[in-house]
Amino acid sequence: QVQLVESGGGLVQAGGSLRLSCTASGSLFSINVMGWYRQVSGKQRELVADISSAGRTNYADSVKGRFTISTDNAKNTVYLQMNSLKPEDTAVYYCKTVLKWRLISGEYDYWGQGTQVTVSS
C-alpha cells in the first residue's frame, strides 16, 4: 500500500506565498507522475500542475508564472511553490501520484487527503 501525506496549507493574504509538500510512503513501486489538483466546494476537481518522472511539467493556465512544481525523487516527494496567491486560488489542494508496482502490471492512481489553502483579499 502507498500513503500520500500532504502538508503546507494554510491561510495567507493575497500576494503571499505558500509551499505545499506531499510524500509518498511505501515500497516496491516506481512513480511515473506526481501532481497537485484543487477543488472548490460544488465544483469539479481540477489539475493545478503535474510533473513526470522525466521532469516534464504541466500547469493550468491560471497558475502559470505563479506556481512551480518540483520533486525530490529520492524522497518520493513533490512540492508546489505558490507565489502571488489570489483569492481565487482558495481551495482544497490534493496530491496525486500515478505509479507502477514492481510485481503488478499497469498504472495506479493514489490521492492524498487534501490540504486547505485560503487566500484572503
Side-chain angles (χ1 to χ4, degrees):
Q1 189 60 283
V2 62
Q3 185 178 16
L4 299 181
V5 179
E6 303 154 346
S7 63
L11 172 65
V12 65
Q13 288 189 333
S17 298
L18 283 174
R19 188 193 195 206
L20 306 182
S21 64
C22 171
T23 298
S25 62
S27 60
L28 301 181
F29 60 80
S30 60
I31 293 175
N32 288 348
V33 181
M34 293 193 83
W36 291 95
Y37 289 69
R38 65 188 181 188
Q39 187 170 23
V40 176
S41 180
K43 295 189 177 181
Q44 282 192 327
R45 193 171 296 186
E46 63 176 8
L47 173 70
V48 177
D50 62 22
I51 182 167
S52 72
S53 58
R56 188 170 54 250
T57 58
N58 181 37
Y59 292 94
D61 288 342
S62 59
V63 307
K64 284 180 180 177
R66 299 188 298 123
F67 292 9
T68 302
I69 191 169
S70 61
T71 56
D72 183 336
N73 292 331
K75 297 180 179 179
N76 287 336
T77 298
V78 62
Y79 304 98
L80 185 69
Q81 179 65 43
M82 304 186 292
N83 298 328
S84 303
L85 282 161
K86 304 176 181 180
E88 51 263 44
D89 294 318
T90 295
V92 178
Y93 284 69
Y94 295 90
C95 173
K96 174 187 172 182
T97 185
V98 181
L99 57 80
K100 295 183 65 174
W101 293 100
R102 293 181 190 174
L103 303 179
I104 304 173
S105 63
E107 291 185 332
Y108 296 85
D109 295 352
Y110 293 89
W111 292 88
Q113 78 283 1
T115 185
Q116 177 70 46
V117 171
T118 302
V119 184
S120 63
S121 57

